Amino acid sequence: MDYQNVTPEIIEQFQKIAPDRVKVKDEINADFSHDEMPIYGKKLPDVVIDVTSTEEISAIMEICNKHHIPVTPRGAGTGLVGGAVPVLGGVVLNMTEMNQILEYDLENLVVRVQPGVLLANLADDAEKKGVMYAPDPGERFATLGGNVSTNAGGMRAVKYGTTRESVRAMTVVLPNGDVCNFGSAVTKNSSGYSLLNLMIGSEGTLGIITELTLKLLPQPKEFMTLIVPYENIETCISTVPKIFMNHLAPQSIEFMERDIVESSERYLGKQVFPKNVNGVDVNAYLLVTFDASSEDELDAMVERAGEMFYETEAIDVLVVNEPQLKREVREARGSFLEAIEKETELLDECDVVVPINRIAPYLTYIKSLEEEVGLTIKSFGHAGDGNLHIYTCSNELEEEEFKRRVDIFMNHAYDKATEFGGLVSGEHGIGFGKIDYLEKSLGETNIRLMKEIKQVFDPKMILNPGKVCYKL
Amino acid sequence: MKNIWVIADVPEHAYELLSKVATDADQVTAFVNGDESVASECFAYGAKIVKLLPIRENAMWELYAKEVANEGEKVQPELILVAATRRGKTLAAQVAAILDIPCVTESKSLNLEGGKVVAKRTIFGGLAEKELEVTSQSVVVTVAPGIFEKQKVDNPASGEIITVEASATNAVVIERKEKEASTVNLSQANVVIGVGRGFGKQENLKYAEELASILEGEIGCTRPVTEDLNWYPEERYIGISGVVIKPKLYLAAGISGQIQHVYGIRDSKTIVAVDKNENAPIFKFADYYIVGDIEEVLSEIIHALK
Amino acid sequence: MKILVCYKWVPDEVDIVVDHASKTLNMDKVKYKVSEYDRNAIELGVSLSERNGFNVESLTVGTGVKASTKDVLARGIEKAYYVETTELDSSASAKIIAEAAKKIGGVDLIICGEGSGDQYSQQVGPRVAALLDYQLVTYVVAFTADGDAFTAERKLEDGIEVVKVQGPTVVTVLSDINIPRIPGMKQILAAKKKPSDELTVTDLGLNADQLAGGFKVTHVGPSIQDRKQIRMNANGESVKEAASSLVQQLKANKDI
């Protein structure tokens, strides 16, 4: 596919559309060349435009489509798979100026937002209004547009679903500049193919989201977390299906192993999760959080959960109901990635998802690869939905050798996930970094269908080229 | 006032407190751990009477509380000023309990104008402060070391020196493990470079140390840096339960700005902060700040100084 | 042997909202918690009772303190006493605790945290010891009981003092002494069946005069720092430029 360069004449046209908001060459901040995983490649765009409206984006797309210029939309740049990296240069649309929360409709429990609103800002603002925006991906400083584009999940997905379940409608600018609306604020929809759902998780390859209508929920009033320690990861994970069978609906079920807890302790300088309970060494933990609309309801639920856990091989069931401890637990859980980063020179990761009853055998397999490929492997994740975060780490290897070994590891890891009926990514997406693995995992027919869909939306292939299913 | 007492288990602290009150009372009495040479220094800083409370081999120093309180019953000093070390605070509270008078712990400022005692102290871990006006006849106030400056008087007295005997007790000190004498004097340094967890790696400390040596300053740090990472000894830890400093320049590097740490630096003349997190709370307490990688920012500052 | 652990029920400072405009503290949304160092005191009491078979009871004084008993009973306390009062200073709290300890009777060891999370006056332990004429060891980081003798290590500015005491004793503990356990569900359920008992100031034979403070609080407000808060790289300056203008500024200020 031949793309054209951005000529001075074209830049002049952009200037007319977005005066003083078109940046070229030295004016472009180096951050626009990468996301949070620069290991997947860096490339500066030729032009960055700080866009502010649907109309502007439409006008810019029309020009780019006509001149065949690659366009990459970008939110806060917190992605982990190189999805917002303009691998062919061209134009980057910086969406972060479109950061207004437009309107709450508390009767229909929806909110209209621009795509550049940060998750943290909507979450905090909604809380003040007594409502909740349910998805809570770990990175709170990501944009909502980015969340929708990757169908980000997060801890609460167990109870409230991924971002997909919270998107009601959106305005989209197609690559040719056409503006369309997908979905509606209503709750039911049996009206033809769901273009809305096609857009969700499409990582900026089909159209540019310029407005979102998101679902809200009444704010749960009470929270309580249980720390359930186990002697080993197998008995720990095998408890998870029982939670659901017992009609318990926690908002999150996380698991972690002892080594990650120790990393976090070194990083925070504080012990939060006990490593020995009632004289027994703990090697794996479940962290289960319940929410409810009243204290009584919560107490009843937690008590029932306690009875259930005591019948498993749990060493004890520890109750985090004290405000300071709640904060410490949240901080410790939130520190895992940073703790690993601090201790590690070279780092890569994957976020496979496997059926929950296969988590334990999958982790055993992953551990066995540690020696085979010669990398340190650390993992934690969402036990309630089988979404695992697995980190390959090295402090000794040269980057080339590290990448070579990571590739061997990833191939094994993804093959095993596919064999177990799992998928390549639970919440980070495919972007640029995981494209080969996706192809291998899904097989020819699925990839062909994806490519043909891409063709329908973007016949000139100008939108975020080189991502998801469209290999350069 | 008629009588003010100064009590300290560390002679240096006694000199500071004496300097503050030397001219505020007819009779200023020092109760201090030390020998005759300490006593003569006490006179030089304004004491009229010196009573020695030496740390005895088998007894906790605070056991002098009873003797001090007995004497207090008789003399009824308007103000008993105690250096707020751990021993000092223990003795202060016991003396106040026996005399049934109030005690203000770790006062940050002390105003004795018009014979009234007005003290300020910090509450809620540094989040808030409160001001108290004493209404009782007598009061005990403890003050952290380093708040008042030492100042000798023009015509020192040369009064009597009495060594106080402590009464017997069932509490026996069976061992003392002394810490190595501290070589740092953070509270006196003009420039302090504060090191936080944001340094990431111990090898990056070289930037802080180079900066400190160029500026002829000292290194201080946060609690996790000493207690958990063990990068620096405890005497370099700045904060509510550590050292309180007031240098001309404090440069916080890789410090997020927890309120407990901020407590220890708030009286610095100028505060500079460097952190990579744009939203770090420390920036709210800084005069100047740079958002960026610690390693990069510090080496550029060093470069600019050279 | 009976242990009495004293703890304070304090506002969680995280919930205190500082209003910079009016320079006031808004306490409307404040939740209460067992003061941090007092959790170490409870842990020591409970672990001594497990190891040495002592009885361990608790006592708290303050406003709305009945609500705290559930928490401490779940941490392993056998019986919780509480005294509802208005807000008091250390002197009044110590008098009430001393009288309550007499009334409870047979208390061999009183354990307090080094200071409370709100006022951090570090006075109650030493005052109680003085009022009851008990032995006192403060700032303790290690503690063992052997018959009716206790050995305590106290951490002072200049080192460690190891102290052996005999007879009724008050100790105050530092947070280094232990890591408080997180209560298990079974303990929480069991706590519902454990006794708690209210004592009143009148029962204890104290009157308002005895509890008066001897000072008046003339001001309480947020510690506000008026700092310049100038970001040296606010407009996309490079770190190099920012560092250089910072150094110039500091030189101009005569800070260096």
Side-chain angles (χ1 to χ4, degrees):
Chain A
M1 197 68 66
D2 280 337
Y3 292 97
Q4 303 299 312
N5 289 329
V6 190
T7 60
E9 294 75 41
I10 293 173
I11 290 173
E12 215 166 283
Q13 293 181 44
F14 291 154
Q15 299 274 19
K16 281 188 194 135
I17 298 166
D20 300 326
R21 286 180 277 116
V22 180
K23 297 191 178 103
V24 293
K25 292 184 187 130
D26 289 355
E27 298 162 355
I28 298 173
N29 189 313
D31 286 345
F32 281 96
S33 69
H34 62 87
D35 65 4
E36 285 194 4
M37 289 297 272
I39 198 163
Y40 297 135
K42 285 187 181 185
K43 170 80 183 172
L44 266 178
D46 301 305
V47 182
V48 173
I49 308 175
D50 300 337
V51 287
T52 56
S53 72
T54 305
E55 293 69 31
E56 254 175 43
I57 295 169
S58 164
I60 292 164
M61 290 313 294
E62 212 173 311
I63 294 166
C64 292
N65 201 43
K66 187 170 145 205
H67 295 283
H68 211 198
I69 294 164
V71 179
T72 305
R74 178 188 172 96
T78 59
L80 295 165
V81 288
V85 178
V87 287
L88 295 177
V91 175
V92 160
L93 298 180
N94 172 22
M95 308 296 292
T96 57
E97 303 282 308
M98 294 179 72
N99 57 4
Q100 298 304 307
I101 298 173
L102 300 169
E103 187 190 13
Y104 284 91
D105 175 351
L106 294 180
E107 288 174 335
N108 289 304
L109 282 174
V110 290
V111 60
R112 233 162 27 87
V113 299
Q114 290 187 315
V117 171
L118 299 184
L119 172 65
N121 292 349
L122 178 64
D124 296 348
D125 197 60
E127 195 183 330
K128 281 183 205 143
K129 298 218 154 34
V131 287
M132 169 173 82
Y133 174 64
D136 69 333
E139 176 57 82
R140 282 170 53 87
F141 297 100
T143 61
L144 290 163
N147 281 177
V148 172
S149 296
T150 51
N151 186 27
M155 295 192 223
R156 287 202 293 241
V158 176
K159 183 166 180 178
Y160 298 108
T162 59
T163 301
R164 185 180 300 282
E165 276 75 30
S166 287
V167 183
R168 284 287 167 75
M170 62 171 76
T171 304
V172 173
V173 175
L174 294 179
N176 64 5
D178 286 355
V179 178
C180 40
N181 292 305
F182 297 151
S184 141
V186 296
T187 47
K188 281 186 170 176
N189 181 353
S190 181
S191 319
Y193 298 154
S194 174
L195 298 171
L196 179 79
N197 274 297
L198 208 44
M199 282 298 300
I200 299 166
S202 66
E203 302 185 50
T205 62
L206 301 182
I208 295 166
I209 299 167
T210 60
E211 194 182 297
L212 287 162
T213 302
L214 302 171
K215 181 173 114 176
L216 299 169
L217 293 170
Q219 181 80 44
K221 293 208 165 45
E222 306 285 338
F223 301 86
M224 200 182 283
T225 296
L226 300 178
I227 299 173
V228 194
Y230 290 88
E231 274 187 85
N232 59 58
I233 187 74
E234 287 78 16
T235 51
C236 169
I237 297 288
S238 68
T239 311
V240 176
K242 294 179 193 150
I243 301 175
F244 299 115
M245 290 305 289
N246 278 277
H247 302 281
L248 294 162
Q251 60 159 238
S252 70
I253 309 170
E254 302 284 296
F255 78 91
M256 58 237 185
E257 293 182 79
R258 187 183 176 108
D259 58 350
I260 197 92
V261 165
E262 286 170 342
S263 290
S264 154
E265 268 175 30
R266 282 192 291 274
Y267 175 65
L268 292 175
K270 184 159 51 183
Q271 181 188 311
V272 179
F273 301 108
K275 285 176 291 187
N276 183 293
V277 173
N278 308 337
V280 182
D281 272 340
V282 183
N283 289 302
Y285 306 78
L286 282 182
L287 195 62
V288 189
T289 301
F290 293 91
D291 60 17
S293 56
S294 76
E295 208 179 323
D296 289 345
E297 186 189 332
L298 185 69
D299 284 349
M301 191 157 31
V302 171
E303 244 182 81
R304 218 144 44 78
E307 279 169 28
M308 186 223 91
F309 283 119
Y310 278 123
E311 280 169 24
T312 69
E313 287 166 72
I315 304 170
D316 204 337
V317 182
L318 309 179
V319 183
V320 181
N321 60 356
E322 195 274 325
Q324 187 173 340
L325 189 62
K326 278 184 187 175
R327 284 195 295 277
E328 286 175 359
V329 165
R330 202 180 322 138
E331 186 191 16
R333 168 61 186 84
S335 75
F336 289 169
L337 176 53
E338 280 172 76
I340 296 175
E341 281 174 347
K342 282 281 180 198
E343 295 184 340
T344 309
E345 298 282 337
L346 290 167
L347 183 71
D348 202 341
E349 60 103 49
C350 70
D351 84 307
V352 292
V353 49
V354 298
I356 51 174
N357 63 342
R358 308 304 283 273
I359 297 173
Y362 188 76
L363 288 171
T364 311
Y365 174 74
I366 290 294
K367 272 279 168 209
S368 76
L369 290 176
E370 197 161 37
E371 208 164 310
E372 192 181 326
V373 296
L375 292 166
T376 305
I377 295 164
K378 295 191 175 174
S379 53
F380 59 89
H382 314 306
D385 49 33
N387 188 193
L388 313 177
H389 295 282
I390 299 168
Y391 296 85
T392 53
C393 318
S394 174
N395 286 330
E396 297 88 27
L397 297 175
E398 295 294 325
E399 186 160 341
E400 277 311 299
E401 176 60 13
F402 175 72
K403 281 186 168 170
R404 194 186 68 80
R405 292 191 194 184
V406 166
D407 189 53
I408 297 170
F409 171 82
M410 292 293 177
N411 270 301
H412 284 315
Y414 288 126
D415 285 351
K416 189 56 110 182
T418 309
E419 183 195 321
F420 278 179
L423 293 168
V424 170
S425 172
E427 56 191 7
H428 295 168
I430 301 304
F432 182 67
K434 305 292 184 186
I435 199 163
D436 288 339
Y437 307 120
L438 182 76
E439 203 174 290
K440 200 168 158 199
S441 159
L442 289 185
E444 217 172 293
T445 309
N446 284 18
I447 294 291
R448 180 176 58 79
L449 285 171
M450 285 190 185
K451 282 182 172 162
E452 285 172 8
I453 291 167
K454 164 79 177 163
Q455 189 81 39
V456 170
F457 276 78
D458 185 15
K460 290 188 160 182
M461 297 287 182
I462 61 163
L463 203 49
N464 207 1
K467 310 291 168 62
V468 189
C469 62
Y470 169 31
K471 241 166 102 174
L472 294 172
Chain B
M1 290 182 195
K2 279 200 182 115
N3 276 292
I4 294 181
W5 286 5
V6 163
I7 308 179
D9 62 321
V10 178
E12 276 297 311
H13 305 161
Y15 309 152
E16 290 174 6
L17 300 184
L18 285 168
S19 305
K20 164 77 180 167
V21 298
T23 57
D24 287 309
D26 307 339
Q27 194 80 284
V28 176
T29 308
F31 291 77
V32 61
N33 164 34
D35 52 19
E36 307 242 322
S37 67
V38 169
S40 65
E41 282 295 284
C42 286
F43 288 123
Y45 286 102
K48 298 266 168 62
I49 302 173
V50 178
K51 305 207 174 192
L52 296 177
L53 310 175
I55 294 181
R56 291 174 201 277
E57 200 188 333
N58 296 319
M60 288 182 284
W61 184 78
E62 303 90 307
L63 290 172
Y64 285 115
K66 269 189 191 160
E67 282 66 36
V68 171
N70 282 342
E71 184 74 11
E73 295 276 11
K74 287 179 226 153
V75 179
Q76 305 222 338
E78 289 96 325
L79 173 63
I80 302 177
L81 206 53
V82 185
T85 58
R86 286 181 171 167
R87 289 189 178 102
K89 285 182 280 190
T90 306
L91 176 134
Q94 289 219 297
V95 168
I98 299 169
L99 295 176
D100 196 12
I101 59 176
C103 174
V104 182
T105 307
E106 278 164 308
S107 173
K108 281 175 63 74
S109 74
L110 184 63
N111 188 336
L112 303 177
E113 272 167 48
K116 264 199 188 124
V117 180
V118 178
K120 261 191 198 157
R121 67 182 306 266
T122 302
I123 55 173
F124 294 125
L127 185 73
E129 56 187 25
K130 79 175 181 190
E131 191 184 70
L132 306 162
E133 188 184 311
V134 176
T135 54
S136 63
Q137 291 295 311
S138 285
V139 65
V140 180
V141 177
T142 73
V143 180
I147 303 257
F148 305 132
E149 297 200 359
K150 285 197 296 182
Q151 169 88 52
K152 289 195 177 173
V153 292
D154 292 338
N155 302 305
S158 56
E160 199 183 352
I161 303 169
I162 300 158
T163 301
V164 179
E165 292 296 322
S167 47
T169 137
N170 286 330
V172 184
V173 174
I174 52 175
E175 192 187 351
R176 280 204 175 94
K177 301 175 219 172
E178 271 177 39
K179 225 164 49 180
E180 277 177 43
S182 161
T183 50
V184 287
N185 197 346
L186 272 191
S187 52
Q188 300 297 320
N190 273 325
V191 175
V192 176
I193 311 295
V195 171
R197 203 164 55 195
F199 267 75
K201 298 188 207 103
Q202 195 164 6
E203 65 198 59
N204 285 344
L205 297 179
K206 60 176 186 261
Y207 298 102
E209 280 158 16
E210 187 177 353
L211 193 55
S213 97
I214 294 173
L215 295 171
E216 294 173 10
E218 284 285 355
I219 299 273
C221 64
T222 59
R223 187 164 179 162
V225 165
T226 142
E227 284 201 350
D228 307 304
L229 299 171
N230 285 316
W231 288 350
Y232 288 111
E234 212 169 276
E235 64 248 26
R236 291 195 191 266
Y237 148 47
I238 301 167
I240 191 155
S241 44
V243 187
V244 175
I245 58 170
K246 43 179 184 179
K248 270 159 87 174
L249 173 64
Y250 179 66
L251 191 151
I255 290 175
S256 65
Q258 295 229 355
I259 197 84
Q260 289 80 359
H261 177 74
V262 172
Y263 176 90
I265 62 166
R266 60 199 330 150
D267 294 326
S268 308
K269 179 173 166 271
T270 298
I271 296 179
V272 174
V274 179
D275 198 84
K276 73 163 199 272
N277 173 10
E278 195 170 336
N279 299 309
I282 190 76
F283 295 143
K284 295 226 155 56
F285 302 100
D287 295 296
Y288 308 102
Y289 64 97
I290 298 178
V291 180
D293 181 61
I294 301 295
E295 206 176 314
E296 190 188 350
V297 178
L298 293 193
S299 38
E300 287 300 343
I301 295 177
I302 291 168
H303 184 75
L305 284 165
K306 282 177 175 168
Chain C
M1 182 83 64
K2 190 192 275 186
I3 302 171
L4 185 65
V5 180
C6 300
Y7 66 93
K8 188 168 180 184
W9 189 233
V10 299
D12 189 1
E13 67 276 4
V14 173
D15 298 331
I16 301 173
V17 183
V18 172
D19 185 340
H20 284 273
S22 67
K23 298 192 176 178
T24 52
L25 299 172
N26 182 337
M27 310 279 282
D28 291 352
K29 291 210 167 139
V30 164
K31 291 192 200 72
Y32 280 71
K33 61 177 183 184
V34 173
S35 180
E36 201 173 340
Y37 304 120
D38 296 344
R39 289 203 285 271
N40 299 103
I42 294 169
E43 178 65 34
L44 175 62
V46 171
S47 64
L48 285 172
S49 91
E50 288 167 352
R51 260 188 317 223
N52 303 55
F54 301 159
N55 290 106
V56 59
E57 302 182 343
S58 69
L59 171 63
T60 188
V61 179
T63 309
V65 290
K66 183 171 194 232
S68 70
T69 55
K70 212 166 74 177
D71 184 312
V72 298
L73 290 170
R75 291 174 191 274
I77 295 292
E78 291 157 16
K79 180 172 185 181
Y81 293 93
Y82 61 97
V83 186
E84 292 283 352
T85 64
T86 53
E87 205 185 316
L88 298 171
D89 69 348
S90 310
S91 167
S93 303
K95 285 177 187 170
I96 294 172
I97 289 170
E99 289 308 317
K102 285 185 207 159
K103 184 151 185 121
I104 292 165
V107 177
D108 303 284
L109 176 65
I110 295 177
I111 309 175
C112 305
E114 58 163 308
S116 63
D118 54 353
Q119 302 288 329
Y120 195 57
S121 288
Q122 307 154 72
Q123 291 184 34
V124 167
R127 277 184 182 266
V128 168
L131 295 171
L132 291 172
D133 203 16
Y134 276 30
Q135 304 295 328
L136 169 69
V137 191
T138 49
Y139 305 102
V140 170
V141 288
F143 189 87
T144 51
D146 179 14
D148 66 341
F150 308 116
T151 308
E153 281 188 28
R154 55 195 309 243
K155 196 174 183 181
L156 301 168
E157 286 83 356
D158 58 1
I160 299 278
E161 245 175 27
V162 187
V163 184
K164 198 158 185 161
V165 286
Q166 203 120 35
T169 301
V170 175
V171 294
T172 74
V173 298
L174 289 173
S175 61
D176 316 21
I177 194 168
N178 53 37
I179 299 174
R181 275 168 280 185
I182 302 171
M185 179 79 74
K186 282 182 181 154
Q187 285 78 39
I188 288 180
L189 296 176
K192 291 183 178 167
K193 298 185 184 113
K194 289 185 184 175
S196 65
D197 207 351
E198 180 170 8
L199 303 173
T200 67
V201 173
T202 330
D203 287 346
L204 299 173
L206 291 162
N207 61 42
D209 278 352
Q210 287 165 295
L211 302 181
F215 56 80
K216 56 185 181 203
V217 177
T218 44
H219 173 77
V220 176
S223 317
I224 290 175
Q225 285 252 299
D226 290 324
R227 293 284 174 182
K228 299 191 189 83
Q229 298 180 37
I230 299 169
R231 178 171 171 177
M232 305 309 282
N233 53 347
N235 303 310
E237 291 92 342
S238 70
V239 165
K240 199 182 179 70
E241 289 162 341
S244 141
S245 47
L246 170 70
V247 169
Q248 280 170 21
Q249 183 68 57
L250 295 178
K251 282 182 175 159
N253 295 355
K254 295 196 164 38
D255 293 326
I256 51 176

